[in-house]
Amino acid sequence: MSTFDEVTAAARACTVCEPYLPLGPRPIFQISKTTRLIIIGQAPGTKVHETGVPFNDASGERLRDWMGIGRNVFYDAARVAIMPMGFCYPGRLPKGGDAPPRPECAPLWHDKFLALMPRLELFLLVGSYAQKRYLGKGSMTEHVRAGTKGKYMALPHPSWRTNFWEKKNPWFGEEVLPRLKKEVARLTAE
């Protein structure tokens, strides 16, 4: 069995998807053996690729607001782990928007990391790609509405595209976000 440091070093050096990555490989994640909370998102965007910091964009600001925490807690790997479905920026779709996460990444790395993170209590599944892998079939709205399923809590992707969805589903702000903030506060307390 590999050690945490070995798996982390191998993931940071990964080039499996290199032929398909328009900006080249730059695996971006934030992992710790001690965290009790993990965010499993989609894949880095261009700004995150440039900075090498996960959720270092408008979506990250919105996610932190939903969670009720600041950058100091969010970027403390001992309190919040971040592991996207695709560790590298996947490029753009021909008609706009980011391409889906590369399909090779999650099967290659997720189980290796999760086996080395015994304290995890809550998986925040941000967006439909993470929800499909961990919760199976169902729409994003169904998964989010279902609330916490064991260790899993589904959230929509926090991009501007979610504005209309939030207006259409006021229960998200009224029911889900207060529950999310309470759990995040409990799990990230020092």
Side-chain angles (χ1 to χ4, degrees):
M1 179 176 219
S2 298
T3 69
F4 188 83
D5 291 340
E6 290 169 339
V7 173
T8 301
R12 292 224 185 272
C14 183
T15 60
V16 168
C17 302
E18 187 169 18
Y20 310 104
L21 302 172
L23 301 180
R26 185 171 192 186
I28 298 169
F29 56 91
Q30 174 177 296
I31 303 292
S32 167
K33 295 182 280 190
T34 61
T35 188
R36 299 185 306 163
L37 169 65
I38 189 166
I39 299 166
I40 300 182
Q42 201 161 287
T46 54
K47 185 174 182 184
V48 171
H49 177 85
E50 289 169 11
T51 65
V53 179
F55 282 106
N56 189 27
D57 54 16
S59 293
E61 289 176 30
R62 190 171 197 186
L63 180 59
R64 288 186 290 278
D65 182 57
W66 286 352
M67 295 170 72
I69 57 175
R71 292 177 69 89
N72 60 325
V73 173
F74 190 81
Y75 290 116
D76 180 350
R79 295 196 271 178
V80 178
I82 303 169
M83 184 172 66
M85 292 297 293
F87 288 4
C88 298
Y89 172 65
R92 306 241 341 132
L93 294 170
K95 294 185 179 183
D98 287 341
R102 292 296 313 163
E104 302 89 345
C105 197
L108 183 60
W109 297 112
H110 280 213
D111 290 345
K112 290 175 185 171
F113 275 119
L114 295 176
L116 298 168
M117 301 172 75
R119 297 189 64 210
L120 286 176
E121 293 181 38
L122 181 63
F123 291 61
L124 293 181
L125 305 175
V126 179
S128 59
Y129 294 102
Q131 292 162 21
K132 183 177 180 183
R133 176 174 172 87
Y134 288 91
L135 299 176
K137 292 182 181 180
S139 73
M140 185 269 302
T141 300
E142 290 169 339
H143 288 308
V144 174
R145 186 74 198 230
T148 307
K149 293 181 180 178
K151 290 184 171 188
Y152 303 111
M153 183 176 195
L155 297 174
H157 190 279
S159 75
W160 62 269
R161 291 182 174 102
T162 309
N163 289 339
F164 177 74
W165 182 90
E166 278 193 79
K167 287 178 184 169
K168 189 177 168 187
N169 298 285
W171 51 265
F172 177 70
E174 296 162 4
E175 300 167 23
V176 176
L177 292 184
R179 195 168 62 241
L180 171 65
K181 288 176 181 172
K182 183 178 178 181
E183 274 298 287
V184 169
R186 179 181 73 81
L187 293 169
T188 59
E190 290 187 278

